Structures are given as C-alpha cells and as structure tokens.
Amino acid sequence: MDVRAGILVTGTEVLTGRVTDRNGPWLAERLRQLGVDVGRVVVVGDRPDDLRTALTQLDDLDLVVTSGGLGPTADDLTLEIVAAHRGRALHHDAELEERIAERVEAMRRRRGWAVDADALRAANRKQALVPAGASLLEPVGTAPGVVVPGPPPVVVLPGPPSELQQMWAAAEASPLVQEVLARAGTLEQRTLRLWGPPEAALADALRRAGDLSGVELTTCVRTAELEVVGRFAPAAADVWDGLGAHLQEEFGPALFSPDGRSVDEVVADLAVGTGATVATAESCTGGLLGARLTEQPGSSGWVVGGVVAYADRVKIEQLGVPPGLLERHGAVSEPVARAMAEGVRDRLRSTVGVGITGVAGPGGGTETKPVGLVHLAVAGPGTTLHRELRAGGARTDIRTYAVQHALHLLREALD
Amino acid sequence: MDVRAGILVTGTEVLTGRVTDRNGPWLAERLRQLGVDVGRVVVVGDRPDDLRTALTQLDDLDLVVTSGGLGPTADDLTLEIVAAHRGRALHHDAELEERIAERVEAMRRRRGWAVDADALRAANRKQALVPAGASLLEPVGTAPGVVVPGPPPVVVLPGPPSELQQMWAAAEASPLVQEVLARAGTLEQRTLRLWGPPEAALADALRRAGDLSGVELTTCVRTAELEVVGRFAPAAADVWDGLGAHLQEEFGPALFSPDGRSVDEVVADLAVGTGATVATAESCTGGLLGARLTEQPGSSGWVVGGVVAYADRVKIEQLGVPPGLLERHGAVSEPVARAMAEGVRDRLRSTVGVGITGVAGPGGGTETKPVGLVHLAVAGPGTTLHRELRAGGARTDIRTYAVQHALHLLREALD
C-alpha cells in the first residue's frame, strides 16, 4: 500500500446531503484494483476557499482525483481552482470548443431544446478552457476532463457518475497517471459475509484467529449482515485464507458468502443453479424486493414478476388471499404473508413465491401491531417458511431491513 | 455563515465504497437547520494515522462531528484516537458498562444469540470507555457517544445511521455543542426544480437574473432534473424570491417545483388533491417505480398496487396485454407500454395506470431496440400519454432514469 490517492468530491449539493455521492466510492474501488490505496475522500462545496484548502490538504498523497464542478454554470469552479493551485494559466482550446459545440448540438436536436445560440456559445466556451501543460480527456457529456501535472498529479473529472465512469479509461491511460500507477503494487481485497451472529461473536472469533499480520482487516454491520473485509498484498493471501477457514469453522452456514458475493448474487446463482423461478408479492415494501431482484443482470431468466398488493382488495383479487383471513388476522399477519407467497407462486406459476406484509410507518401502527412489525413468507413447491420481524428506524430503514431478510429467507428456501 | 462545522466519517467500508455514507448528508442538513454551515466532509478508513491527520485538518472549524468506529471489534478506533488527539485519557465507566450489558442482554434474548459470556463482557468493556472531561451520550444501540471538549469540540457518534440519528438530540443538547450553536445565525435553504430545459439555458437565465448578492447559489443536474439551491441569511430572502419570479417567467411550467418538493412529493400531493389513485405495471424497472411511490408516507391512500410483469406471460395473464401485440411489436414498444398502463388501470381499478417497458441491459439489446430504449405510458380515465426514451449509462442508470421520467409523465397526467 505504498501508493496512495486522495479523492476530492466537489458540489454543494453533495456537501449538504441533497445528492448522495456515488463517485468517491466508485473511484476508490477502481483505484484499489490498480493497487492504489485511497487515504481520504474529501467533500467540499462549490466555494473557492474550501476547494483551495481541500486541495492543499491532499497534497501529501501521490495522486488526487476530483469529481464535479465542470459544468457551464458560474458555480462550477473546480477547473479554475485546480489550475490556480498548480500555478497554471487556463487556455482556450478552439478545436475543443468546436467538438463540444457538436456534442451540444446533437443533444439539443435529440431532446428538442429551444436555447438561445449565445447562451450555448457562452456555455461551450467556458467548458473549452484547459490548464497549460494538462492532458485533455475528451468529453463524454459536454465537459472535458483534464490531468494536471503535479506533484501530485490531479485528475479532474465531471460530476455525473456515468460521464465520470466512461471517462475513467482515458484518465487511467494518461502518461501522468501511468507514472504513478507504475509505482503501485497489487492490493487484493476479499470479503466474507455472515448472516445471523452478533458483532460481539465476530469480535471474539477474530481475537482468537491467531496472527493476522499483513492483512488490513475491517468489519462492519450492513442491514443486519456482518461483513469482514481484508486488504493485503499477494504475499499475505495465506493469512486471509487461514482466517476464512477459521471463521467457517466458527460460524458454519451463517458464513453464507465466503467469496464476497452479496445475498442478491447468491440468490441469483441459486435460482439459476436449481432452475427455480421466483415471483414476489409485496405490500409494505411496494416493489422494493422486485426492484432488487431485477437489479441483477440476467434476472429475466428466473424472475417471473410479481404483484404489489398495497390495497387489501389487490391482495384478494390479484393474489387470492381469502377475505376472511384479512378480517380475522389483519393484513399484517403470518397467515396473510403465507397466503400472499402461495398466491403469487400459484397465480404467476413460479417455483417460489415471496410474501411481505408489514407496518412501515410512520403512521398505521397499533399496540399489537407496532410500526416495524413485518411478516415474511417464502412458499416453495412443498413447504412455506415464515419469519416475524421487529425492525427499528424510519420508514426507509424498515423497508430495507424487510427486503434484506426476505432475500435471506429466499436464499434459505432455494438452498 | 459564521459558524462552520466539519464532519469526519470513519470506516474503511465507507472509504472503499462498499457502503454509501448516509451520515455525512444527514448531519450536514441537521447542522444547516441549526444555522451551522458545513465546510468539509472527510471520509477516512479505520487507520490511526489517517484518523489523526483528518482530525488535525478539521481543527480550523468551530465544531467537528464524527461518525463510526465505536463498535466492539478491534478495528473500531475513533474514540481512542479522538481522546488522544485532545490529550484526554480514557476512563472505564463501570455503571455505563452495566447499562450497556443490559442492552446487549435484551438484544441477545430477542434475537436468540448464543454468545460466549466472556466475549460479550470484553465487547461491553471496550464500549464503556469515556475520555476524561467528555459528556456522555447514552447508547441507542450498544455504543455510547461522547462530546469531547475542544476547541473545537468533537461530537463522537456511532456509525449505524438510525443509532446516530436517534442520538443526535442528546448531542445537540450538550452544553459544549450549545455553546457553539449560540454563536450561529439562521441559515435558510431554498430549492427550485426544473424539468426539461438544458443546463445551458439555466446558466443563461442565471446570468441575466440581476444582482444575487447575499445568496449562495448552486445548481446541479440530478437524473435529468435541474436543481437550483440558494443558501442565505434571512435578510437576503427578497433576493431569493426575486430569482424565483425571474425563473418562473423564463421557464413557466418547466419550473415544476418552485418550493423544493421532489417530483415524488408533487405526484403524491396531486394524487391526494385530485382524489386519483395510481397503479403501476413495470417490466424493466421490476418494481422500482412502485417502491418509489410507496416510499412516500401516506401512499396507501392513493397507491393501489401494481404488477411487476417481467415475463411476457405475466404481461398477458395479469395485465391483459394481447399476445398478438407482443408478437407484432415486441415487448419493448409503444403499443405494449400503452396496453400495460391501460391493463393495470382496468384490472386494479385505479384512476391512473403507468406502464414501463424497456431494455435495461447489459444484454438483450438489438440494432432496432438498443440497450437504453424505454417506452413509458400513463393511462388516465380518458387519454393515454406516451414517451419514448433513449437512456444512457449502466443498468442502474437506465432504470433510475426511466422511473424519473415516469414520475414526470404521471405528474403531467395528474396535473
């Protein structure tokens, strides 16, 4: 871990929490794959002083990557500040402006914009400024990126994640970045995931794991899963493997992912491997489980579809839940969760059906059925599994937690 | 904006992008409401040197809030490093340990954990260490927080978002934090959202908006929406109102949210206001639109439910899409999108039905129907609206973009 990078995410919308940053995480993983360890991610608003301070504070690293602040509006300042920080004047690149103008014109035609030509020219011109001595990264959207010589070199990338990601290959290939990468070793990262045991049990097992030197170990709790991550140079691979064997022995099947796959991926692999198809019946999660299953590429091979049964009459009419069951037990109950899972399995003719019904809040809770109560059921060809959950937190937390549990129950049923 | 805070998010899982940080954004907005401006958010891994550097680099601010690194595992280091940075020894608080033990025991019983008593004791003991002179924040989960005297004072909070959020009230009330807050003014934040116009048109309109001094203005593009945000002291409220009037005149109905509501909230308000109910029929988005509609509290009042029609036979059997339509035009086509929207409206007896069908990729694209092609339809009681999209980016981007467009088409239909 000799070569270290800093990431500077700019944008008041990110700093103030209105937009969740996706670039820092993406860049960190990309750099790790290149053997570069990320030391710090700094988020600042579009303010000259804060941008300058942040750049100065990242000067001790080997490489700096920035995202955002390259747009045509006046609050987009990153390029100007980076150039000034490195003592490099901005030059107007007439040919670049022409290429940007062509891109903008194509976009304008496709989207049917009616924009003043002068306004477009001003926007294009602002985006065609390049610091002296910098390598240009051709625009993917309308803003080009640059690599400004260091030390450390600064890679300046646009903020929209898909633009940044598509531009990365060119950044990686630029000679200034290649020079840094040549000094980097290989930085492996491996993950183990557990479902069920408490964090204290993991802490205890790790204390008894023996000598782990050479492996930088971190653990965290993510929506009730325990995640153990090791980062190491290839020489320490044996240490990691030894730890895996130790945890396998300690936790058995609770170590559901010894190879780092997410529960989503494990479920997808099990479905493909067994030839099972899946259908979902969701009440309080409103489609979130279906969305998560179908986020997996290739899910059309095993996800049949589902029913979002938010209203009770949809539970009755589309899933065949008996009205008497709803009357006797209420919509949030074990019998209704089972009937939803079995109903969607039968109606959509899948191998497995999943039912979720609960009180996501903030309203709708009662003394016997408080906010956070969720009933899950997974109906296979033979038996139906059921779980009752008591989730904490806000509406989003409860829904996410319910979906996470449903995925693990589905994993259990498919396994 | 005289009082400024820094946020230190710790955790290798956040730094390396495996977990998306939700605490930085949440804290930034909470602090803003208290009149405290956030200058920088820094993310570092669970490494002593990086934690120390980050703390030092935040010492120029008036208040520092940290999140994460308070757990029982050995990689949880934040409290120890903050105490050392402020030159304060850690003391063991026996009564606190007892309270933690009670919480852990209740949790153990509820979840049925079988854990070694010594392991639990070691975990509890580690979490019962408090820096000398610090104010204690009672645990919400198992880890307590602290406020360590400054300058600047450091508020040390746990990493799980729901724990951090529930602990915040106590942090805010602590005398050390109150002292800082007493110096803060009022920092207003207002938002305007536009749908349709390009960023260059907004840049142009802003250049012609006259004197905006006193308002810190930022703009960004979020899933094809343009967002304009102003932060200002109460004295500059007129300037912001003037800008709103100017943009209203420039963009008319494209300024769909003059009050900062998201399109999700606008749709919810329109549905409640008109008494319309909504049902969804989703293919490539697999439930994402349903999930987003039902994320709104109170959505059970107007969302009836929906069908995730991933397989063609679900489109036929559950939505009544004529098989001939699928044969002639293919599943990703205008007629099928219309039939899905009308089918779900009729079958689920809602006022409005939304249909989404597209190629989300990465596979499944053809020359005439490439990855990114999406057909949307919104069927009202009378007419059915339709849009054809060509979305760029990865599978996630295409799905998110399709849902965003569907929400705007739904808004148009309800309006």
Side-chain angles (χ1 to χ4, degrees):
Chain A
M1 308 194 186
D2 292 318
V3 176
R4 303 187 85 209
I7 297 173
L8 175 58
V9 175
T10 75
T12 306
E13 70 277 12
V14 179
L15 182 69
T16 57
R18 301 197 310 279
V19 172
T20 302
D21 172 45
R22 284 166 54 199
N23 293 330
W26 190 87
L27 289 168
E29 175 52 18
R30 196 41 64 116
L31 288 164
R32 202 273 308 160
Q33 289 171 4
L34 297 165
V36 177
D37 191 33
V38 172
R40 288 193 290 290
V41 176
V42 180
V43 184
V44 295
D46 301 298
R47 297 164 182 162
D49 285 346
D50 290 342
L51 283 163
R52 271 189 285 268
T53 303
L55 280 169
T56 307
Q57 291 187 341
L58 292 169
D59 270 345
D60 61 317
L61 297 159
D62 301 298
L63 179 69
V64 174
V65 184
T66 76
S67 84
L70 303 185
T73 51
D75 58 308
D76 290 308
L77 295 164
T78 307
L79 191 71
E80 189 186 325
I81 303 282
V82 170
H85 180 67
R86 285 277 173 276
R88 289 172 185 270
L90 287 173
H91 294 286
H92 177 253
D93 183 331
E95 284 175 26
L96 173 61
E97 182 177 337
E98 220 158 282
R99 294 198 298 278
I100 294 172
E102 278 166 27
R103 300 187 67 89
V104 170
E105 177 55 22
M107 234 179 254
R108 196 193 59 74
R109 257 179 287 138
R110 202 165 58 236
R111 303 196 185 167
W113 290 339
V115 200
D116 181 65
D118 284 344
L120 280 186
R121 218 162 5 241
N124 298 345
R125 197 181 159 81
K126 178 177 182 301
Q127 294 187 304
L129 296 172
V130 181
S135 319
L136 184 70
L137 307 172
E138 278 297 317
V140 172
T142 66
V146 292
V147 185
V148 183
V154 183
V155 180
V156 179
L157 298 174
S162 67
E163 282 185 42
L164 176 137
Q165 291 172 21
Q166 287 176 68
M167 197 180 281
W168 178 254
E172 197 182 312
S174 88
L176 288 164
V177 175
Q178 280 297 315
E179 233 171 76
V180 175
L181 295 180
R183 304 200 305 270
T186 300
L187 185 54
E188 301 281 352
Q189 179 172 301
R190 296 279 185 282
T191 303
L192 299 166
R193 289 177 216 278
L194 296 113
W195 177 252
E199 206 177 1
L202 175 62
D204 182 48
L206 290 176
R207 270 191 294 270
R208 292 181 286 96
D211 184 9
L212 296 175
S213 45
V215 174
E216 186 193 26
L217 207 67
T218 56
T219 63
C220 74
V221 185
R222 295 181 61 173
T223 326
E225 282 176 11
L226 292 177
E227 193 177 79
V228 183
V229 178
R231 288 155 71 89
F232 50 86
D238 284 354
V239 180
W240 174 257
D241 292 341
L243 175 65
H246 169 68
L247 294 178
Q248 184 76 66
E249 199 167 299
E250 292 270 326
F251 294 108
L255 180 69
F256 74 92
S257 175
D259 53 8
R261 281 176 305 159
S262 64
V263 63
D264 311 57
E265 290 167 321
V266 172
V267 162
D269 290 346
L270 283 169
V272 170
T274 59
T277 57
V278 176
T280 54
E282 303 184 62
S283 185
C284 65
T285 50
L288 211 51
L289 176 61
R292 207 159 141 184
L293 294 177
T294 57
E295 188 66 31
Q296 297 295 313
S299 50
S300 56
W302 55 275
V303 176
V304 174
V307 173
V308 177
Y310 220 55
D312 278 354
R313 68 169 163 81
V314 178
K315 294 184 183 77
I316 297 166
E317 294 171 12
Q318 305 299 319
L319 294 169
V321 175
L325 218 56
L326 287 160
E327 275 160 36
R328 279 199 306 283
H329 303 280
V332 180
S333 62
E334 174 174 348
V336 169
R338 286 178 179 271
M340 287 171 69
E342 290 161 8
V344 81
R345 177 199 60 193
D346 297 345
R347 297 258 174 140
L348 270 62
R349 299 198 309 283
S350 58
T351 322
V352 178
V354 186
I356 308 180
T357 176
V359 189
T366 64
E367 203 163 312
T368 50
K369 298 194 176 178
V371 170
L373 174 68
V374 179
H375 285 275
L376 302 176
V378 175
T383 170
T384 299
L385 305 173
H386 165 259
R387 290 281 186 289
E388 178 181 323
L389 316 178
R390 305 270 172 161
R395 185 174 174 84
T396 308
D397 303 312
I398 292 167
R399 285 162 39 110
T400 308
Y401 187 73
V403 167
Q404 185 82 348
H405 265 268
L407 283 165
H408 278 284
L409 198 59
L410 179 56
R411 174 176 65 76
E412 206 179 298
L414 291 171
D415 207 354
Chain B
M1 309 197 186
D2 291 318
V3 177
R4 303 188 85 208
I7 297 173
L8 176 58
V9 175
T10 75
T12 306
E13 71 276 14
V14 179
L15 182 69
T16 56
R18 301 197 310 278
V19 172
T20 303
D21 171 47
R22 285 167 54 200
N23 293 329
W26 190 87
L27 289 167
E29 175 54 16
R30 197 41 63 118
L31 288 164
R32 201 272 309 161
Q33 289 171 4
L34 296 165
V36 176
D37 191 32
V38 172
R40 287 194 290 289
V41 176
V42 180
V43 184
V44 295
D46 302 298
R47 298 165 182 163
D49 285 346
D50 290 341
L51 284 163
R52 271 188 285 270
T53 304
L55 281 169
T56 307
Q57 291 188 341
L58 292 169
D59 269 345
D60 61 316
L61 297 159
D62 302 298
L63 180 69
V64 174
V65 184
T66 76
S67 85
L70 303 185
T73 50
D75 59 308
D76 291 309
L77 296 164
T78 308
L79 192 70
E80 190 187 324
I81 303 283
V82 170
H85 180 67
R86 284 276 173 276
R88 286 169 187 273
L90 286 174
H91 294 286
H92 177 251
D93 183 333
E95 285 177 27
L96 173 60
E97 182 177 338
E98 220 158 280
R99 294 199 299 279
I100 294 172
E102 278 166 28
R103 301 187 66 89
V104 170
E105 177 55 22
M107 233 178 255
R108 196 193 60 73
R109 255 179 288 137
R110 203 166 58 237
R111 303 198 184 165
W113 292 336
V115 198
D116 180 64
D118 284 344
L120 281 186
R121 224 171 352 251
N124 298 346
R125 198 180 158 80
K126 177 178 183 300
Q127 295 188 303
L129 296 171
V130 180
S135 318
L136 184 70
L137 307 171
E138 278 297 318
V140 172
T142 66
V146 291
V147 184
V148 183
V154 183
V155 180
V156 180
L157 298 174
S162 67
E163 283 186 41
L164 175 137
Q165 291 172 22
Q166 285 175 71
M167 196 179 280
W168 178 254
E172 196 182 311
S174 87
L176 287 165
V177 174
Q178 281 295 314
E179 234 171 75
V180 174
L181 295 179
R183 304 200 304 271
T186 300
L187 184 55
E188 302 281 355
Q189 179 173 302
R190 296 279 186 282
T191 302
L192 299 165
R193 289 178 216 277
L194 296 114
W195 177 251
E199 206 177 1
L202 175 61
D204 182 50
L206 291 175
R207 270 191 292 271
R208 290 180 288 99
D211 184 9
L212 297 174
S213 46
V215 175
E216 186 193 25
L217 207 67
T218 55
T219 63
C220 74
V221 184
R222 295 181 61 174
T223 326
E225 281 177 10
L226 292 177
E227 193 177 78
V228 182
V229 178
R231 289 155 72 88
F232 49 86
D238 285 354
V239 179
W240 173 256
D241 292 341
L243 174 65
H246 168 67
L247 293 178
Q248 184 77 66
E249 202 168 297
E250 292 270 327
F251 294 108
L255 181 70
F256 74 92
S257 174
D259 52 9
R261 281 177 305 159
S262 64
V263 62
D264 310 58
E265 290 167 320
V266 171
V267 162
D269 290 347
L270 283 169
V272 170
T274 59
T277 57
V278 176
T280 53
E282 303 185 62
S283 184
C284 64
T285 51
L288 211 52
L289 176 62
R292 207 158 142 186
L293 293 177
T294 57
E295 187 65 32
Q296 297 294 313
S299 49
S300 57
W302 54 276
V303 176
V304 174
V307 173
V308 176
Y310 220 55
D312 278 355
R313 70 171 163 79
V314 178
K315 295 183 183 78
I316 296 167
E317 293 171 13
Q318 304 299 317
L319 294 170
V321 175
L325 219 55
L326 287 161
E327 275 160 37
R328 277 199 307 283
H329 303 281
V332 180
S333 62
E334 174 173 349
V336 169
R338 287 179 179 268
M340 287 171 69
E342 290 161 8
V344 81
R345 176 199 62 195
D346 296 347
R347 297 258 173 138
L348 269 62
R349 299 197 310 282
S350 59
T351 323
V352 178
V354 186
I356 308 181
T357 177
V359 189
T366 64
E367 203 162 314
T368 49
K369 298 194 175 176
V371 170
L373 174 68
V374 180
H375 284 276
L376 302 175
V378 175
T383 168
T384 299
L385 305 174
H386 164 260
R387 290 280 186 288
E388 178 182 323
L389 315 178
R390 306 269 171 160
R395 185 174 174 85
T396 308
D397 303 311
I398 293 167
R399 285 161 39 110
T400 309
Y401 187 74
V403 168
Q404 185 81 347
H405 265 267
L407 283 164
H408 278 283
L409 197 60
L410 179 56
R411 174 177 64 76
E412 205 179 298
L414 291 171
D415 207 356

